[in-house]
Amino acid sequence: MSDFLPTGIQLSYLVAASLFFVGLKRLGSPATARQGNRLASLAMLVAIVATLLDRQVLNYPMILLGIAIGSVIGAITAQKVAMTSMPQLVGLFNGLGGAASALVAMAEFWHYFDLTAEPNAGSTITVMLGVLIGGVTFTGSLIAFAKLQGLISGSPITFPLQQPFNAALLVSFLIGSGYLIATSPTPSLFLGLVVISLVLGVMFVIPIGGGDMPVVISLLNSFSGLAASAAGFVVMNNMLIIAGALVGASGIILTVIMCKGMNRSLSNVLFAAFGTGESGGTATGGGGSQGEKVVRNIDPEECAMMLGYARSVVIVPGYGMAVAQAQHSIRELADQLDKMGVEVKYAIHPVAGRMPGHMNVLLAEANVPYDALYDMDDINPQFEETDVALVIGANDVVNPSAETEKDSPIYGMPIIQVDRAKHAIVIKRGLSTGFAGVDNELFYRDKTMMLFGSAKDMVSKLVAEVKQL
């Protein structure tokens, strides 16, 4: 039995790794994402059970206590946190993952020190990688959370010589790590390097605007995976190495996809201090003109008539929908239109909202059919045959300036081309700019009508009016 146990543990890890791969593949589509999540959860359960059966695991009461506390916190969080706060929650999860990996690395260093053992270079390198990546992920994620939660300004926070200062911190960490590798463990130096990693995380995120937080969250998710993989090398656990590598790889792939969705490089996102991070401007509802630009208003009754007598309607959700929690009202509106024979589709921009897949998650919560959701590239060719494009709380991702104005900071960013529809109706509180701080030319187009007000209130009124038709 004792000879079989190590082999059984490794076989269990192999099964868990296979389930991780299949689960990750299933997560690639909204239609199979729930099944993928269950498979990945099962894989983690198998991995945890196998690890607990390892002969090196000695303190079962402490482990079970940790599982119990974590389960209670997780259950309460799942019930209490609103869907609109999912980006903040994901940011915190990333940070906690990084912190756990950093603590594992720190514990391993103290293990060497307490035993007055001489760690080899490979062990010290993995420990320092765990500290660096884990520390940056932890404090960086906390700053991202604070920006999204409004605890600090979403605008980029910059100061003179900021990048040289950050480079100096990184070089200092590398030099200090090299000294530790070449000499015996030095607790005071090690603690100083831990502090540097934490400061680096703060300095990494503060110059990034709130509008770029979806990319930052995705990148920090990748960092948390790399930190976990480093921790796996520290404790020599194959499953942790594999799981961390999967998270790291999928996170960086998603980051690249997000950057392509904005037609910007990752370096531009991280170092350009782009956008205000907050909705700019103070323009509110009302007809007439703004300067030489004419704004055309529409009331809920007129809007309902346009929607009810259209053949095809494309709904374009944005962060305003998330703030107003209007997804259930939108689903009700779509159901009413469907009963009247109107074809309803949803256009999803890859960077709409504040985290990757934000709109998909919210619409899934309202039980919107998966086959009604269309990616940007799939829906854009259909707009010329679309009677009405209904934009709900979206701004930069539907701004035609991205295609026409070379001087615009969002020029070249792929957009959902609602301006090509026969009619466009925009539900928005006012004419304020989005995260990029750019005025939206769509609002002033001849085919565009503005329905000013809260997304949830306006959509609820539309539902009532459509029922009267």
Side-chain angles (χ1 to χ4, degrees):
M1 179 67 180
S2 60
D3 293 334
F4 173 77
L5 189 57
T7 302
I9 290 172
Q10 296 306 317
L11 288 175
S12 298
Y13 285 165
L14 181 60
V15 171
S18 300
L19 289 173
F20 275 132
F21 280 110
V22 176
L24 190 59
K25 176 64 176 178
R26 305 296 284 177
L27 286 171
S29 168
T32 58
R34 291 183 178 179
Q35 184 187 63
N37 202 33
R38 294 189 187 100
L39 287 174
S41 299
L42 176 61
M44 184 56 70
L45 176 62
V46 171
I48 290 174
V49 171
T51 301
L52 291 178
L53 293 176
D54 195 321
R55 289 172 296 180
Q56 297 178 1
V57 177
L58 301 176
N59 199 334
Y60 286 99
M62 288 298 294
I63 291 174
L64 294 176
L65 178 62
I67 292 175
I69 294 174
S71 299
V72 170
I73 294 174
I76 294 175
T77 300
Q79 294 295 324
K80 297 294 184 182
V81 176
M83 293 300 292
T84 48
S85 298
M86 279 298 115
Q88 294 93 307
L89 184 62
V90 171
L92 279 180
F93 283 165
N94 290 340
L96 293 175
S101 300
L103 288 173
V104 168
M106 293 172 65
E108 189 69 8
F109 177 87
W110 247 258
H111 173 73
Y112 292 138
F113 182 75
D114 289 343
L115 296 180
T116 63
E118 291 292 336
N120 57 47
S123 299
T124 307
I125 289 173
T126 55
V127 166
M128 298 315 300
L129 282 175
V131 168
L132 175 62
I133 304 173
V136 169
T137 304
F138 174 56
T139 53
S141 297
L142 291 183
I143 296 298
F145 166 82
K147 281 178 175 279
L148 293 173
Q149 191 67 17
L151 301 178
I152 62 176
S153 173
S155 300
I157 301 173
T158 60
F159 56 84
L161 300 177
Q162 186 172 33
Q163 298 308 327
F165 176 74
N166 292 348
L169 286 176
L170 180 58
V171 170
S172 299
F173 185 92
L174 295 177
I175 293 175
S177 299
Y179 181 81
L180 282 179
I181 293 171
T183 62
S184 59
T186 307
S188 58
L189 175 58
F190 179 75
L191 290 176
L193 296 177
V194 171
V195 172
I196 289 177
S197 72
L198 297 175
V199 174
L200 269 172
V202 175
M203 301 305 298
F204 173 68
V205 178
I206 60 171
I208 304 174
D212 287 330
M213 282 302 111
V215 177
V216 174
I217 288 177
S218 179
L219 184 60
L220 289 171
N221 179 255
S222 177
F223 283 2
S224 68
L226 294 177
S229 191
F233 281 104
V234 170
V235 299
M236 299 303 295
N237 185 285
N238 293 333
M239 191 66 255
L240 190 55
I241 295 172
I242 294 172
L246 287 175
V247 174
S250 58
I252 198 64
I253 291 172
L254 183 56
T255 301
V256 172
I257 293 174
M258 300 286 285
C259 288
K260 287 183 177 179
M262 299 188 297
N263 193 38
R264 294 166 60 199
S265 65
L266 181 58
S267 60
N268 180 265
V269 171
L270 299 180
F271 305 121
F274 178 80
T276 63
E278 301 167 354
S279 294
T282 57
T284 58
S289 63
Q290 183 177 4
E292 297 180 355
K293 299 177 179 179
V294 178
V295 179
R296 296 167 180 80
N297 282 7
I298 191 173
D299 60 36
E301 183 179 0
E302 293 175 300
C303 183
M305 292 181 64
M306 290 184 64
L307 294 172
Y309 295 117
R311 290 176 302 173
S312 60
V313 171
V314 175
I315 297 174
V316 184
Y319 184 64
M321 181 199 76
V323 172
Q325 301 186 47
Q327 60 269 25
H328 295 283
S329 299
I330 291 172
R331 170 63 194 273
E332 187 179 2
L333 174 63
D335 288 344
Q336 291 297 322
L337 293 175
D338 183 66
K339 292 178 182 178
M340 299 178 67
V342 181
E343 182 183 26
V344 180
K345 300 177 181 179
Y346 298 80
I348 309 299
H349 195 283
V351 295
R354 285 191 169 184
M355 74 174 183
H358 198 178
M359 297 301 104
N360 300 73
V361 171
L362 292 174
L363 294 173
E365 182 197 19
N367 294 317
V368 172
Y370 294 130
D371 57 4
L373 304 180
Y374 288 78
D375 292 334
M376 176 179 61
D377 293 337
D378 294 330
I379 199 65
N380 276 344
Q382 303 182 37
F383 274 113
E384 292 185 356
E385 302 299 324
T386 299
D387 293 323
V388 182
L390 181 62
V391 180
I392 305 176
N395 200 331
D396 294 329
V397 297
V398 296
N399 193 340
S401 299
E403 295 183 321
T404 60
E405 297 184 14
K406 294 184 178 181
D407 294 334
S408 173
I410 63 171
Y411 179 73
M413 182 182 83
I415 62 167
I416 295 179
Q417 297 167 338
V418 298
D419 57 310
R420 298 189 179 185
K422 297 176 183 177
H423 300 282
I425 299 173
V426 179
I427 299 178
K428 203 172 182 293
R429 288 183 179 274
L431 297 175
S432 57
T433 62
F435 281 111
V438 179
D439 202 16
N440 194 336
E441 288 298 318
L442 177 69
F443 301 162
Y444 315 106
R445 293 288 178 93
D446 292 339
K447 297 187 295 183
T448 301
M449 286 151 282
M450 303 294 297
L451 179 57
F452 290 108
S454 165
K456 187 174 184 178
D457 292 342
M458 291 301 105
V459 174
S460 297
K461 290 181 179 180
L462 287 178
V463 171
E465 293 293 343
V466 168
K467 289 180 179 179
Q468 299 296 322
L469 297 177

